Amino acid sequence: MPERRAVMPPPSDIVKVAIEWPGANAQLIEIDQKKPLSSIIREVCDGWSLSGSEQFALRYADGPQLYITEQSRGEIKNGTILRLAISPMRAARQLLDRIQSHGIDARLEALKELAKLSADPTFATEFINMEGIGTLARLVESGTHFGEMLAFTLTAFLELMDHGIVSWDLISLSFIKQIAGYVNQPMVDVSILQRSLAILESMVLNSHSLYHRVAQEITVGQLIGHLQVSNQEIQTYAIALINALFLKAPEDRRQEMASTLAQKHLRSIILNHVIRGNRPIKAEMAHQLYVLQVLTFNLLEERMMTKMDPTDQAQRDVIFELRRIAFDGENDPTGTEKRKALYTKDYKMLGFTNHVNPAMDFTQTPPGMLALDNMLYLAKFHQDTYIRIVLENSSREDKHECPFGRCAIELTRMLCEILQVGELPNEGCNDYHPMFFTHDRAWEEFFCVCIQLLNKTWKEMRATAEDFNKVMQVVREQITRALAMKPSSLEQLKSKLRSLSYSEILRLRQSERMSQDDFQSAPIIELRERIQPEILELIKQQRLNRLCEGSCFRKLGNRRRQEKFWFCRLSLNHKVLHYGDLDESPQGEVPFELLTDKIPVSDIKSVVTGKDCPHMKEKSALKQNKEVLELAFSILYDPDEALNFVAPSKYEYCIWTDGLCALLGREMGSDLTRSDLDTLISMEMKLRLLDLENITIPEAPPPVPKEPSTYNFTYNYG
């Protein structure tokens, strides 16, 4: 029997690739990653008898077609198709000359190519070093470019600036005026308007000095006009610019800007033209609506963190007004100190903790003065409701009275926590609530609905003062469950809260407890242990099947709305991960032929998540983003390389991390696995434990009965 020799794997620093050149046969070569890139390019040029190898460079033939540098060459994989191209410096010089040529057609083609190449950081560096951004800015300032030519110019400018190589502070005032002019014009090409809005947004977000200049050139009314168009992409860019101006405005100007937006009916325009429009809300629009919602609620932070000054007469008068509306019905004509001394009893009936000086109840932050604002709004704009709540509780003598003052203060604190008042928007969050766009005083109206819910729940629980915290826990659960249903209006919120009575909350809790019930008897525990391995195997197969179907991931970039995608899927034999770039998000399965890169599963060393991912360590701005961190994971593979992911959702994150752990023979530890395991084990155990008393289980299945002689008994629906 002949001796069997082990096949040695190729060295890890040798990569087999194909290199193309127009009009010539492709070269199939082995790239030695230890050799300088210039030597490899010289050998490739010699293969086609090309002189001046220093004038050439290598680029990827597929996807974004980026230039390959000494820093990025490690990303080349076996089987990659490359292309010999003119060097970035030479390409930048040629394009710079061509965009300044006199021929319109030649200039248009040059700008089109420049718009595409500007996304490449290597090319961008060379072009910027040749004062290319200044040239583009002068072309825009001249006002002689229109249509496609202007659109390509603005695209190239934005791509170049997004690399962060030069500061936005260098932008001239005349350039800002020209870009603002495109936004302010009533009729302008959609592609030009879109890029102009994006440029202004980047200016505001990246430069404090440019914020003031843009704010002077752009009026809110002109931006709101762009929300009334049918193009959702333009609407998205317009709201993004409004959000940027809102976010970067000095604190003393934000309230003024909010008042201007209210006067221009921003809320109702968004409600009618965006939320209730005829088109589904895309992810980026949902994110911008969420950001606007957060920034609007953050205007409450100042009042939330302001303590009441017990010596301030104006503030004390607000409490007197609450007492007057509840008990007097009209202004108190006496106003004497003697009469005010008698207010103590009334303050107790109002439910304040400090009956003598209720101003002390508002000295804790949060919720500070915001709670008093909410109470006054209820008393003035929902006077009947306010008087009913106060009087029906102040007249009770069975210790079941609901302390209105204490409840309103604690409820305000709770609502601030639920809606995260004072926190900055999260990059990956799209959690906006349509109902908050249905009323100019949405926060106050939300409070009024919730205080009525609290009063109702208090009565349903027959609570006393000792049960205060229990009631608040139930109310929090009622509110969070109702918000999770995304009611489209405050009326719909009321309807959902009515259905979530205290008895319904108890039923839901009991149902959830039953579904997660872990029986403690020894036989049940033994049965569970026997079932668990086969259920885990079932979950594992489902995860691997999902990996075989594949998923689309978004590339992290500076601008969310110019998204780039890539797709990854596992081979059907579970041995190779295939991945590659896509121009747009796919609508179905992506064939393996389109995924040019691959990683053998045997090469995978480990899977890391969150802040341990290499791309999270590199992107300092993203390290602070909780949403992105929670969805990030990386595959570490030989030789010391990583494939980085940011999942589109928590569900996809769990599917992929579980599936990769299953491939590596490791435990699947995601929340989704625990949930699926509990659900499936619970169902299987309930099926196995069904009461079969006095039922004989046959050894063989019963015979199939003969077909009937006629089918006259069937009903003809025709």
Side-chain angles (χ1 to χ4, degrees):
M1 189 170 180
E3 182 184 351
R4 195 178 209 174
R5 293 187 179 180
V7 179
M8 296 296 291
S12 59
D13 49 13
I14 299 295
V15 185
K16 296 180 180 180
V17 300
I19 302 180
E20 300 176 335
W21 175 252
N25 293 327
Q27 295 186 39
L28 303 177
I29 69 169
E30 293 185 352
I31 292 180
D32 185 348
Q33 295 286 37
K34 292 180 180 178
K35 291 177 63 175
L37 195 57
S38 57
S39 300
I40 295 168
I41 294 171
R42 188 182 308 113
E43 292 173 8
V44 172
C45 289
D46 291 344
W48 283 311
S49 302
L50 298 172
S51 59
S53 62
E54 66 279 357
Q55 298 293 318
F56 293 93
L58 291 176
R59 290 171 63 185
Y60 288 99
D62 301 315
Q65 301 181 3
L66 299 177
Y67 278 102
I68 294 166
T69 64
E70 289 289 356
Q71 292 72 34
S72 66
R73 63 185 294 181
E75 298 172 12
I76 303 174
K77 306 292 186 298
N78 279 316
T80 302
I81 300 176
L82 305 179
R83 179 176 297 157
L84 186 67
I86 61 173
S87 68
M89 181 184 293
R90 188 175 164 195
R93 173 53 60 196
Q94 288 182 0
L95 284 174
L96 194 58
D97 292 340
R98 286 166 59 196
I99 64 175
Q100 298 177 84
S101 65
H102 296 295
I104 294 177
D105 292 341
R107 199 184 312 167
L108 178 61
E109 283 302 311
L111 286 167
K112 185 176 181 179
E113 190 177 342
L114 178 62
K116 184 178 179 182
L117 271 175
S118 294
D120 188 310
T122 309
F123 170 84
T125 302
E126 297 293 346
F127 190 80
I128 290 169
N129 287 340
M130 296 176 185
E131 304 296 331
I133 284 183
T135 302
L136 292 178
R138 286 190 292 275
L139 290 175
V140 173
E141 291 168 14
S142 68
T144 57
H145 284 49
F146 305 98
E148 264 192 318
M149 193 175 290
L150 179 57
F152 287 133
T153 305
L154 296 178
T155 301
F157 178 86
L158 189 54
E159 290 283 2
L160 291 166
M161 291 301 296
D162 269 349
H163 291 293
I165 299 171
V166 294
S167 171
W168 282 91
D169 289 319
L170 300 176
I171 303 302
S172 68
L173 182 58
S174 59
F175 180 84
I176 297 172
K177 286 180 177 292
Q178 191 68 37
I179 297 295
Y182 299 135
V183 173
N184 294 338
Q185 284 177 20
M187 296 293 290
V188 69
D189 185 81
V190 169
S191 58
I192 295 172
L193 176 58
Q194 173 191 310
R195 288 157 178 78
S196 298
L197 288 167
I199 289 172
L200 292 175
E201 181 196 359
S202 292
M203 286 180 182
V204 172
L205 292 176
N206 289 289
S207 170
H208 180 70
S209 62
L210 290 190
Y211 156 76
H212 294 286
R213 293 180 181 178
V214 172
Q216 289 172 358
E217 297 296 328
I218 296 291
T219 66
V220 172
Q222 289 156 335
L223 289 178
I224 288 177
H226 294 307
L227 297 176
Q228 297 170 278
V229 299
S230 58
N231 187 320
Q232 190 174 121
E233 199 167 352
I234 294 298
Q235 291 175 325
T236 304
Y237 277 91
I239 295 180
L241 180 52
I242 290 172
N243 285 339
L245 290 167
F246 213 145
L247 186 65
K248 293 298 180 178
E251 287 189 19
D252 58 340
R253 283 210 59 222
R254 286 181 190 171
Q255 203 72 50
E256 178 188 334
M257 185 175 176
S259 300
T260 304
L261 293 173
Q263 291 170 7
K264 298 291 183 179
H265 309 292
L266 173 68
R267 178 198 59 76
S268 60
I269 289 171
I270 288 177
L271 180 67
N272 295 322
H273 292 272
V274 179
I275 297 174
R276 293 179 179 171
N278 297 323
R279 301 167 306 284
I281 301 292
K282 294 181 180 178
E284 179 57 26
M285 174 59 87
H287 174 73
Q288 294 301 336
L289 292 174
Y290 154 77
V291 172
L292 182 59
Q293 173 186 290
V294 171
L295 295 176
T296 303
F297 282 146
N298 282 357
L299 294 172
L300 304 169
E301 184 181 11
E302 183 182 356
R303 294 294 284 172
M304 181 182 77
M305 300 307 294
T306 300
K307 296 181 180 181
M308 187 171 189
D309 181 1
T311 63
D312 188 319
Q313 188 58 44
Q315 295 180 4
R316 290 162 63 93
D317 286 344
V318 176
I319 299 177
F320 296 154
E321 181 69 2
L322 288 175
R323 193 215 64 80
R324 184 196 66 76
I325 294 173
F327 301 117
D328 289 353
E330 58 184 29
N331 288 322
D332 181 11
T334 61
T336 62
E337 288 300 320
K338 181 178 179 181
R339 176 61 184 141
K340 290 178 182 177
L342 300 176
Y343 287 172
T344 300
K345 181 183 176 182
D346 292 343
Y347 291 146
K348 182 177 181 181
M349 294 168 68
L350 275 170
F352 288 113
T353 304
N354 191 319
H355 311 148
V356 177
N357 186 6
M360 299 302 295
D361 287 14
F362 300 96
T363 55
Q364 186 176 355
T365 58
M369 291 295 289
L370 185 59
L372 187 60
D373 295 342
N374 286 341
M375 294 164 73
L376 185 62
Y377 182 88
L378 175 70
K380 283 191 169 184
F381 295 95
H382 297 273
Q383 196 168 110
D384 292 343
T385 300
Y386 168 69
I387 293 172
R388 175 178 56 78
I389 291 174
V390 172
L391 294 185
E392 75 177 18
N393 285 291
S394 62
S395 60
R396 301 183 68 162
E397 297 180 356
D398 55 1
K399 296 185 179 179
H400 290 289
E401 69 276 2
C402 175
F404 169 74
R406 184 184 176 192
C407 287
I409 292 169
E410 187 57 34
L411 178 64
T412 302
R413 187 196 337 270
M414 180 196 297
L415 297 182
C416 289
E417 290 174 0
I418 291 172
L419 296 176
Q420 300 179 329
V421 174
E423 295 188 18
L424 288 175
N426 283 321
E427 174 69 18
C429 189
N430 301 337
D431 189 26
Y432 80 98
H433 294 279
M435 70 174 183
F436 291 129
F437 291 88
T438 62
H439 201 285
D440 289 328
R441 303 290 294 272
W443 165 264
E444 291 87 348
E445 290 293 322
F446 183 47
F447 169 83
C448 293
V449 172
C450 292
I451 194 70
Q452 293 176 72
L453 167 73
L454 196 160
N455 187 58
K456 171 174 166 284
T457 302
W458 187 283
K459 290 188 287 187
E460 290 174 347
M461 294 177 67
R462 291 191 56 77
T464 63
E466 289 76 19
D467 301 317
F468 183 84
N469 291 332
K470 291 180 182 177
V471 175
M472 297 308 297
Q473 288 172 5
V474 173
V475 171
R476 175 185 281 269
E477 188 171 344
Q478 291 170 313
I479 294 170
T480 51
R481 284 181 184 271
L483 287 177
M485 300 179 203
K486 288 289 190 291
S488 59
S489 66
L490 289 163
E491 286 303 317
Q492 204 175 95
L493 173 69
K494 292 177 187 177
S495 174
K496 293 187 184 302
L497 288 174
R498 276 195 296 270
S499 67
L500 287 169
S501 62
Y502 175 55
S503 58
E504 177 64 11
I505 292 294
L506 289 180
R507 190 193 67 77
L508 289 169
R509 286 178 175 179
Q510 180 68 14
S511 174
E512 290 168 1
R513 253 196 313 268
M514 289 292 289
S515 66
Q516 300 171 1
D517 199 8
D518 192 6
F519 302 107
Q520 296 302 313
S521 63
I524 300 299
I525 293 173
E526 183 181 348
L527 176 61
R528 185 184 181 91
E529 290 173 351
R530 285 188 180 184
I531 293 172
Q532 185 162 318
E534 61 184 82
I535 299 295
L536 279 171
E537 182 61 28
L538 184 68
I539 294 172
K540 174 183 172 181
Q541 290 305 317
Q542 187 270 341
R543 300 294 193 263
L544 293 175
N545 289 340
R546 278 289 288 104
L547 263 61
C548 290
E549 293 173 14
S551 297
C552 181
F553 300 91
R554 182 168 63 88
K555 285 192 172 185
L556 291 176
N558 292 331
R559 280 175 289 136
R560 295 173 51 93
R561 289 171 297 287
Q562 291 195 1
E563 294 189 325
K564 296 178 181 178
F565 302 93
W566 66 286
F567 197 88
C568 186
R569 63 181 295 197
L570 178 66
S571 63
L572 299 179
N573 63 5
H574 298 174
K575 290 186 177 180
V576 180
L577 278 173
H578 297 264
Y579 65 97
D581 294 334
L582 299 175
D583 293 331
E584 57 185 19
S585 183
Q587 298 304 313
E589 186 176 285
V590 177
F592 289 109
E593 295 75 32
L594 295 180
L595 305 176
T596 55
D597 298 313
K598 59 186 178 181
I599 299 173
V601 172
S602 58
D603 286 354
I604 298 177
K605 293 179 179 179
S606 63
V607 177
V608 295
T609 60
K611 62 183 179 182
D612 295 326
C613 298
H615 56 321
M616 291 296 102
K617 293 176 181 176
E618 292 167 8
K619 296 181 181 290
S620 58
L622 294 173
K623 281 171 68 179
Q624 307 303 323
N625 193 316
K626 184 179 176 184
E627 294 286 335
V628 174
L629 277 175
E630 288 178 350
L631 299 176
F633 61 98
S634 297
I635 294 173
L636 306 182
Y637 62 97
D638 291 331
D640 298 325
E641 295 187 23
L643 183 63
N644 302 313
F645 299 74
V646 175
S649 65
K650 187 67 176 176
Y651 175 80
E652 288 291 330
Y653 170 85
C654 293
I655 288 288
W656 274 84
T657 52
D658 282 344
L660 292 169
C661 287
L663 278 176
L664 300 178
R666 297 172 188 169
E667 182 181 349
M668 299 180 293
S670 74
D671 295 339
L672 184 62
T673 290
R674 285 191 288 272
S675 173
D676 287 350
L677 185 63
D678 288 343
T679 301
L680 293 172
I681 284 182
S682 175
M683 290 172 59
E684 184 68 18
M685 289 181 69
K686 287 174 182 177
L687 285 172
R688 295 195 186 193
L689 295 172
L690 284 174
D691 188 3
L692 299 178
E693 189 176 350
N694 299 324
I695 297 176
T696 304
I697 301 176
E699 293 292 333
V704 178
K706 293 180 181 180
E707 290 190 15
S709 57
T710 68
Y711 288 87
N712 295 336
F713 55 85
T714 61
Y715 179 76
N716 186 353
Y717 288 92

